[in-house]
Amino acid sequence: MNISSISTTLLLVVLLFCTQSSSGFAPTHTAPTRIPQTHLQATSSNNNDTLKLFSPCKINLFLRIIGKRPDGFHDLASLFQAVGFGDTLTLSKLSTDTKAKKDEFTCNMDGVPTDQSNLVLRALELMRQKTNNNDVYFNADLFKRVPAQAGLGGGSANAATAMWGANELMGRPATLDEMIDWSAELGSDITFFVV
C-alpha cells in the first residue's frame, strides 16, 4: 500500500466518522433564518436569554503553499469542508442586576485557556466593542469534543459561534456582512465559520 492510498483511506475514515457523528449532535429546533449556511445551529431553551449552539469543526481537503510573502508569512490555497462533528457552546446573558463587568467562561477540556486569550472571550469582547453594547456580558460554557490545536478549526468555530450567539442575544445589532468583516480581526479561519 503506497502513501497516496493510505492518505485517501485516512481521509475517508475521517469523513465517515464525522458524518456518522453528526446524528448525535443534530438540533431538535433550529434558530431563526439568520444562521449562515447551517454551519451554526441552535436549540431552544426554556430561558429566552440562553442559547445552546453547535460549533462544527472543519477538515482541509487540500493545502498548498503558493509562495512566501515579504512579511515572512506564506500565501496558502486550501479547501475547507465543515463537518457534522464539533463542540457545544451554551451562551447566556448575565443578569443586569449582577452589575457584571466581565464575561464568565468555563470549558470541560483540560488545557484550553479560560482567560482572555481564549477566542470565545475575545469574540464576545469584539461584539461588545463593535456594536457599542458595552454593558452586556455573557456566561459561556464550552463543551469541547474537537481536540485543541489539531488543525480542525475548533477554536475558530467556537469564536464564530460566540459572535453569532452574542448577536442573537443582543437583539441582532449587527448584520451578517458586518460580522464577516469583524471576524477577520480575530483570525482568517473564523470568517469561514461565520459565512
Side-chain angles (χ1 to χ4, degrees):
M1 185 176 259
N2 62 30
I3 296 295
S4 178
S5 298
I6 293 170
S7 297
T8 303
T9 303
L10 181 58
L11 178 59
L12 290 173
V13 168
V14 169
L15 287 172
L16 181 62
F17 171 73
C18 292
T19 303
Q20 288 178 341
S21 296
S22 65
S23 63
F25 307 114
T28 54
H29 166 24
T30 55
T33 56
R34 294 223 2 169
I35 299 173
Q37 294 185 9
T38 71
H39 285 324
L40 305 177
Q41 299 175 342
T43 56
S44 60
S45 158
N46 293 336
N47 180 349
N48 290 333
D49 288 337
T50 300
L51 293 173
K52 189 171 186 178
L53 301 162
F54 174 70
S55 179
C57 68
K58 54 109 176 143
I59 56 172
N60 292 29
L61 298 177
F62 75 83
L63 176 67
R64 179 170 294 148
I65 298 173
I66 300 208
K68 191 170 184 178
R69 303 187 322 217
D71 61 6
F73 289 95
H74 292 86
D75 288 322
L76 304 174
S78 182
L79 178 62
F80 296 163
Q81 174 64 52
V83 295
F85 174 71
D87 303 328
T88 302
L89 178 68
T90 303
L91 190 66
S92 60
K93 284 170 53 175
L94 291 173
S95 170
T96 53
D97 297 340
T98 64
K99 305 284 189 224
K101 293 296 178 196
K102 69 179 210 172
D103 298 306
E104 298 172 357
F105 179 66
T106 55
C107 181
N108 69 308
M109 188 175 285
D110 290 338
V112 172
T114 56
D115 60 12
Q116 286 305 122
S117 67
N118 190 284
L119 283 170
V120 168
L121 292 175
R122 291 174 56 201
L124 296 174
E125 180 61 29
L126 180 70
M127 288 300 291
R128 256 193 306 279
Q129 289 173 1
K130 296 292 188 179
T131 62
N132 293 316
N133 280 294
N134 295 317
D135 57 343
V136 177
Y137 292 90
F138 300 93
N139 178 283
D141 178 52
L142 181 62
F143 184 83
K144 282 199 73 63
R145 296 175 191 89
V146 178
Q149 305 296 317
L152 297 172
S156 295
N158 297 158
T161 304
M163 287 181 71
W164 187 86
N167 194 53
E168 289 294 306
L169 291 173
M170 289 189 292
R172 300 180 185 169
T175 66
L176 178 58
D177 288 338
E178 287 173 325
M179 289 192 293
I180 289 169
D181 289 340
W182 301 340
S183 67
E185 295 183 27
L186 297 174
S188 56
D189 282 1
I190 296 169
T191 304
F192 167 76
F193 291 104
V194 173
V195 176

